[in-house]
Amino acid sequence: MATPRDARSGNRHVIAPVDEFPYGERRIVTIEGRAIGVLNVGGTFYALRNSCPHHGAPLCEGVVKGTMADTPAHEYSYIRHNEFITCPWHGYEFDLATGRSLVDPQRTRVRTYEVAVEDGDVVLYV
């Protein structure tokens, strides 16, 4: 369920018209001194701080992918397709929706931001 516009937190920033932001595209924007990646993953928009908490790599330049399930030896199960972004420097994986690390979700995370489509525009709240 979408949050009503007047209940959203942060300052409103229009990124682009939604029809100019196709599936698979990402944009790095600087807002209030912060580099933030806005990604269109199959029609769902995500926004994350463009800095890996491990060593400050440009996280939002990484690959969007799924991950492997914890399975017995010699069994392989690929799950959660397009729900993670991988740091381009050291391979740390972060959940696009929550920013939490796949390996240590309680302690390692990247900041996420609210992003929505409103009146035909992709809008970021910072």
Side-chain angles (χ1 to χ4, degrees):
M1 179 177 192
T3 305
R5 184 182 299 183
D6 59 346
R8 297 185 190 276
S9 61
N11 295 323
R12 183 177 190 270
H13 302 271
V14 175
I15 303 304
V18 71
D19 59 353
E20 294 178 14
F21 205 131
Y23 290 5
E25 186 167 322
R26 66 186 80 197
R27 296 187 184 179
I28 309 300
V29 297
T30 301
I31 297 175
E32 299 175 10
R34 294 172 237 179
I36 299 169
V38 181
L39 299 87
N40 181 347
V41 181
T44 301
F45 287 89
Y46 300 95
L48 301 100
R49 185 78 184 259
N50 189 32
S51 180
C52 180
H54 177 234
H55 278 273
L59 178 63
C60 296
E61 293 177 14
V63 174
V64 172
K65 63 181 200 133
T67 193
M68 300 302 291
D70 187 16
T71 58
H74 309 292
E75 290 183 28
Y76 303 96
S77 178
Y78 183 75
I79 60 171
R80 299 181 63 190
H81 182 64
N82 285 343
E83 292 185 30
F84 296 92
I85 191 162
T86 304
C87 176
W89 289 0
H90 300 111
Y92 280 61
E93 296 171 305
F94 296 89
D95 186 301
L96 286 167
T98 67
R100 294 189 182 279
S101 162
L102 184 62
V103 176
D104 189 4
Q106 300 307 315
R107 293 184 354 167
T108 306
R109 64 180 297 172
V110 65
R111 172 82 191 265
T112 60
Y113 298 90
E114 186 173 4
V115 62
V117 176
E118 297 174 354
D119 302 323
D121 291 321
V122 178
V123 178
L124 177 64
Y125 289 86
V126 177

